[in-house]
Amino acid sequence: MTAPHSQSRPRPAEGQQPVTPRATRVLVLNSGSSSVKYQLLDMADSSRLAVGLVERIGEENSRLVHTPLASGPGGKRERTGRIADHAAALEAVAAELAHDGLGLDSPELAAIGHRVVHGGLKFSAPTVVDDAVLAEIERLVPVAPLHNPANLTGIRTAQRLRPDLPQVAVFDTAFHTTMPEHAARYAIDTATADAHRIRRYGFHGTSHAYVSRRTAELLGKDPSEVNVIVLHLGNGASASAVEGGRCVDTSMGLTPLEGLVMGTRSGDIDPAVTFHLKRVAGMSVDEIDELLNKKSGLVGLCGDNDMREIRRRVEEGDERARLAFDVYIHRLRKYIGAYTAVLGRVDAVAFTAGVGENAAAVREAAVAGLENLGLAVDAERNTVRSDEPRVISPDGARVVVAVVPTDEELEIARQSFALVERTDGDETPTLRTPIA
């Protein structure tokens, strides 16, 4: 499908040559197994032109929610009814964008940027997709079976819609490829590990990259001068130790299961628990996988994975909710302490993502008792709600504690746009050296 031309432009005066608009727009796609999230951004000023979501793809009650933002907020449109597959979903997205004068055939569209969860060790930077890149992403499916297949579907569908346009893959794992081997390696037989690509890759990399850089800006310093612990706390949660702009450790490993307590994932666990469950409980590998990824974490401990609901229950005296909250905070504090040791000097701790940005009680509890590490929050500053980066530690604190809202879509758009540039008067994109 090709979307109709979307914007009417003044005709050039007689004798004048048509003016080709500079291509500064990037469409960011995050393709899940049954959903597509998307944003259209103009990198001339980093503004959002449209955002949307297609969910329940393949079901009878598929839903598309589209919000044009080019002329200000408002105008949200919603449609329901079966959307058969990702191809139909992206065609529906293209039609919605065209309706707003933002069609996919616009000469102002420079690239389509795709979130790809697992890039292994080969992809340490955003990459223009070709057949070899697609093959490598597919080769990594065994270590990201829930994510990479959906990411591939989104890329291939977008290629069919705009075969002439650069498709850029931005990898969740890329930011963490700077980890030294002693942080990335598991202490298992190296031949087995190498044969099966078993190592710590880390995830949420676009968020950690964006937030660590924004934290340095908040401190008025260059990222190369700042050591930051980033705490990405959402339904999925991860921590990273960022030294001078480079990740030196992160909490997630071969898969997103390792590390912090999450909404439905256990995080760190004795590997022998899996053997025990198989031998004693008779559970299959798939059942154990489902237990640890979908029935553990906060939901396993108290039946809820929404931190707002858990806090409400805590305040009402619910002991299961209290235990879940305490386990969550205990693990978080352990990682703050561990990454303080890894970095040696910490300039800032940055909270981000849904829980990190909005749950003041989590931020307060996470640093309580860590005054000897230079960590504290100011009670009044901590309760302020804002979409802007802000310091919540007291004046003069040795370590700045901050809330830094993440923006993974903007980071993907920036990396995609930095990779693809157009020459003056030439519609053929030229490629820069990939950025880290």
Side-chain angles (χ1 to χ4, degrees):
M1 167 189 169
T2 301
H5 279 287
S6 55
Q7 290 192 335
S8 59
R9 298 186 175 278
R11 295 180 179 274
E14 187 175 349
Q16 289 184 343
Q17 293 297 316
V19 177
T20 301
R22 180 172 176 242
T24 58
R25 295 176 182 171
V26 177
L27 177 64
V28 176
L29 297 178
N30 182 352
S31 299
S33 58
S34 62
S35 68
V36 175
K37 297 178 183 177
Y38 64 93
Q39 292 194 14
L40 180 66
L41 300 97
D42 191 334
M43 300 316 297
D45 57 5
S46 298
S47 62
R48 281 173 175 76
L49 304 179
V51 302
L53 166 68
V54 187
E55 58 185 350
R56 300 191 290 269
I57 295 172
E59 300 180 21
E60 294 303 320
N61 61 339
S62 305
R63 176 172 175 260
L64 187 156
V65 179
H66 175 84
T67 305
L69 301 172
S71 57
K76 181 169 73 172
R77 301 191 297 273
E78 182 174 334
R79 52 180 280 195
T80 57
R82 180 174 172 77
I83 297 177
D85 51 29
H86 282 71
L90 286 187
E91 287 175 1
V93 169
E96 293 294 337
L97 290 169
H99 178 84
D100 300 319
L102 303 168
L104 292 192
D105 68 339
S106 168
E108 294 171 79
L109 189 61
I112 299 179
H114 299 265
R115 180 197 180 210
V116 179
V117 167
H118 215 309
L121 292 179
K122 285 198 173 182
F123 299 115
S124 59
T127 304
V128 173
V129 175
D130 57 19
D131 289 344
V133 171
L134 285 172
E136 182 63 18
I137 295 172
E138 191 151 27
R139 193 177 75 87
L140 290 162
V141 165
V143 290
L146 300 178
H147 299 97
N148 274 31
N151 303 153
L152 282 166
T153 299
I155 293 171
R156 286 170 173 149
T157 302
Q159 285 179 319
R160 287 197 296 271
L161 289 176
R162 281 297 307 266
D164 60 313
L165 198 68
Q167 310 286 331
V168 179
V170 178
F171 300 90
D172 269 14
T173 50
F175 184 63
H176 304 304
T177 58
T178 57
M179 281 193 295
E181 281 294 285
H182 60 256
R185 283 278 182 178
Y186 290 112
I188 65 172
D189 172 65
T190 55
T192 301
D194 291 346
H196 301 286
R197 303 187 297 279
I198 299 171
R199 61 185 290 120
R200 303 183 64 251
Y201 293 99
F203 300 89
H204 294 147
T206 52
S207 177
H208 287 280
Y210 178 85
V211 171
S212 60
R213 187 177 64 249
R214 290 286 283 153
T215 302
E217 292 173 4
L218 186 63
L219 272 58
K221 296 182 178 180
D222 188 271
S224 64
E225 303 173 335
V226 177
N227 290 356
V228 185
I229 297 173
V230 177
L231 303 172
H232 177 108
L233 308 179
N235 193 49
S238 60
S240 67
V242 183
E243 182 179 53
R246 295 167 60 85
C247 177
V248 295
D249 207 348
T250 192
S251 58
M252 287 179 167
L254 174 71
T255 76
L257 180 60
E258 186 181 355
L260 301 175
V261 175
M262 302 175 226
T264 65
R265 299 179 193 139
S266 65
D268 292 339
I269 192 170
D270 181 350
V273 169
T274 59
F275 315 145
H276 181 78
L277 290 172
K278 182 169 177 59
R279 293 168 181 157
V280 176
M283 295 177 68
S284 68
V285 171
D286 288 343
E287 288 172 331
I288 296 170
D289 188 310
E290 184 175 14
L291 171 70
L292 297 181
N293 276 290
K294 298 181 180 179
K295 298 180 179 178
S296 296
L298 292 172
V299 79
L301 288 166
C302 73
D304 271 313
N305 63 337
D306 188 322
M307 185 58 72
R308 294 166 296 187
E309 180 64 15
I310 291 170
R311 286 303 306 167
R312 183 192 66 77
R313 288 171 56 185
V314 168
E315 291 166 5
E316 292 178 354
D318 187 312
E319 290 302 319
R320 285 185 64 198
R322 167 56 68 184
L323 176 62
F325 184 78
D326 288 348
V327 171
Y328 182 96
I329 294 299
H330 179 71
R331 185 79 55 82
L332 189 55
R333 286 159 53 87
K334 283 175 65 175
Y335 269 91
I336 293 172
Y339 286 172
T340 297
V342 167
L343 291 170
R345 186 198 84 241
V346 178
D347 299 299
V349 173
F351 289 88
T352 194
V355 175
E357 294 170 27
N358 297 297
V362 168
R363 299 191 295 261
E364 179 183 7
V367 304
L370 300 183
E371 291 82 7
N372 286 342
L373 299 181
L375 293 166
V377 298
D378 178 276
E380 184 175 347
R381 291 176 177 176
N382 190 37
T383 57
V384 171
R385 298 181 71 89
S386 172
D387 293 331
E388 296 299 319
R390 59 197 185 276
V391 173
I392 61 170
S393 48
D395 292 339
R398 189 165 84 242
V399 177
V400 171
V401 180
V403 179
V404 181
T406 192
D407 197 332
E408 294 173 89
E409 290 78 14
L410 177 59
E411 183 69 14
I412 291 170
R414 281 178 173 170
Q415 292 190 27
S416 299
F417 189 66
L419 179 60
V420 179
E421 76 177 5
R422 293 174 182 267
T423 59
D424 290 342
D426 184 359
E427 288 299 305
T428 303
T430 58
L431 304 184
R432 294 177 181 167
T433 302
I435 61 172

